[in-house]
DNA sequence: CGTGAACTTGAGATTTCTCAAGCGGGGTGG
DNA sequence: CCACCCCGCTTGAGAAATCTCAAGTTCACG
């Protein structure tokens, strides 16, 4: 189960056996959670641990006083859910999209592992830089793309990352987000999201149904979303 | 001049004299630039250096093939312009809003300084985490706030950061962005940005004219933008 | 002064939103 | 085991925010 996390780190930096052992040792026993659970709470200073997602899917979000919500990212197994906690408080919450498991890493112990294993520190740092690159990509989408391109781009990104995390099965992958989640991540209304989703389906590009994404025409979907996977910093994969 | 950079780092982590000396030694001779200059180019793998802004203002942006542009952040003296370059390529460009100076830090030398001075490494890492927090705040704005609140929030953020960088003079601070820059950072058209700016002025909250921001009613502006400075991780300041 | 970029304002066009209503699936309690 | 119910999906229709096109003005600079 820890393998997913190591694989994620090793996408960015080669690790030695000692590095891997250090990482494995710092993770506490996995805790199971159900769909809809709150994994991390905004301003939650209590648990001095960093959470690593081992299975299932989750999303970060920030919710305004009046209920409007912006989803900030989606997460696959192997992702660290609250990396900022290493050095500061977290300014967002994390909810579970599906049931799954997450392992806690005590902050102090993790800092020690990073001090002892510089490559691990570098991999985690790079992970946080890639997160920032994803935020930039979303910013461009929400700020400057039409609903059609924005949704196509998001689906490309999600599919690519889930595939890299080993969750995909051919051109299908599980993605238990509702259209409400999608609209809150895209800055659109649910109604409009629904209509555009139907359009993408009619165009034969993707279909998002039954809690999964089915890619029908990858090249077309990438073109519709002006998608270029470079910013995800994933190792080259088969097209 | 290097002081601005050190002050920025020390906002996050206390440094020793040796740490400061290490940082100072890694910076090359400052290079002057003019307003409108391109300081960093997207996909620019050439110069193996990281740029530190010493004076003047700059902005990161990503420009799409057809010319639409999204501005991703604004920068004050002391900011690192292309931190991701430490571990990967940069996926954005940086332009100068005003004339100023920037100092290059060779990547390899900087990595060595970080290895020798863990506190410096931590400060830089935290800097990148704060950048991510700012991206999240923008994402919430562009995704879920009205043009009015979005502009108010941006002006609060910019003013707060410039003030922290020592650029403000009372309730005024230089901000040489045009309305075109503003609209590209907000995901709005120039026309609409102009109208809302006029509204904010009529409401007695702020005025953005003559390349500077004048705050007229800070409490009102913060309320209009639902602004809470926490995410900027700045040391407490006078209200 | 002449010029170009930036700013301002008007007016009509669009995208996207909100309100509303009906449908459907699957989870659960009787 | 079945019926009910809730949540999510879907579609219609009018409303609102924001955009685009267009033209005039101002201001800094050469």
């Amino acid at each position: 189960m820890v393998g997913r996390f190591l694989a994620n780190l090793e996408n960015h930096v080669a690790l030695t056996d000692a590095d891997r052992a250090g990482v494995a040792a710092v993770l506490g026993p996995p805790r199971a959670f159900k769909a809809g659970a709150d994994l991390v709470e905004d301003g939650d200073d209590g648990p001095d641990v960093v959470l690593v997602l081992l299975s299932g899917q989750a999303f970060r979000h920030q919710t305004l006083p009046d209920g409007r919500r912006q989803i900030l990212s989606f997460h696959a197994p192997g992702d660290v859910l609250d990396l900022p906690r290493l050095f500061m408080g977290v300014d967002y919450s994390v909810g579970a999209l599906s049931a799954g498991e997450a392992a806690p890493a005590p902050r102090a112990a993790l800092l020690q592992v990073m001090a002892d294993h510089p490559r691990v520190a570098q991999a985690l740092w790079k992970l946080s830089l890639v997160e920032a690159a994803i935020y930039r990509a979303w910013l461009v989408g929400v700020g400057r793309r039409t609903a059609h391109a924005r949704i196509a781009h998001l689906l490309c990104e999600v599919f690519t990352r889930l595939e890299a995390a080993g969750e995909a099965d051919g051109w299908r992958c599980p993605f238990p987000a509702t259209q409400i989640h999608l609209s809150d991540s895209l800055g659109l209304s649910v109604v409009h999201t629904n209509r555009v989703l139907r359009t993408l389906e009619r165009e034969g590009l993707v279909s998002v149904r039954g809690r999964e994404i089915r890619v029908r025409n990858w090249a077309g979907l990438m073109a519709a979303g002006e998608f270029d996977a470079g910013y995800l910093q994933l190792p080259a994969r088969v097209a």
Side-chain angles (χ1 to χ4, degrees), chain A residues 138-199:
Chain A
W138 282 38
L139 218 30
V140 172
V142 182
R144 287 299 181 218
R145 279 197 249 267
T146 63
H148 189 262
R150 201 184 306 178
I151 296 184
H153 193 280
L154 177 68
L155 294 176
C156 285
E157 178 188 299
V158 167
F159 184 81
T160 302
R161 292 180 60 206
L162 286 171
E163 219 235 357
E167 298 287 293
D169 170 17
W171 289 113
R172 307 162 54 166
C173 74
F175 182 53
T178 65
Q179 292 183 3
I180 301 173
H181 290 115
L182 281 176
S183 60
D184 279 340
S185 66
L186 296 158
L188 297 170
S189 69
V190 187
V191 172
H192 199 57
T193 301
N194 175 279
R195 290 196 226 271
V196 177
L197 240 21
R198 293 290 71 79
T199 304

Side-chain angles (χ1 to χ4, degrees), chain A residues 35-123:
Chain A
D38 291 319
L39 305 179
V40 175
E41 297 274 11
D42 188 349
D44 182 359
D45 298 324
D48 210 17
V49 300
V50 169
L51 266 192
V52 177
L53 186 62
L54 297 183
S55 65
Q57 291 183 40
F59 65 101
R60 287 203 252 240
H61 62 100
Q62 217 166 302
T63 299
L64 301 173
D66 69 345
R68 279 167 301 157
R69 177 175 72 168
Q70 176 66 41
I71 290 181
L72 302 161
S73 54
F74 290 108
H75 294 283
D79 285 354
V80 182
L81 298 178
D82 50 358
L83 207 38
R85 173 124 41 200
L86 273 180
F87 300 119
M88 56 199 246
V90 293
D91 55 15
Y92 55 80
S93 302
V94 177
L97 278 180
S98 68
E101 289 172 288
R107 207 175 69 89
L110 187 51
L111 288 170
Q112 187 57 52
V113 168
M114 295 188 333
D116 296 341
H117 304 270
R119 274 174 241 86
V120 172
Q122 182 175 332

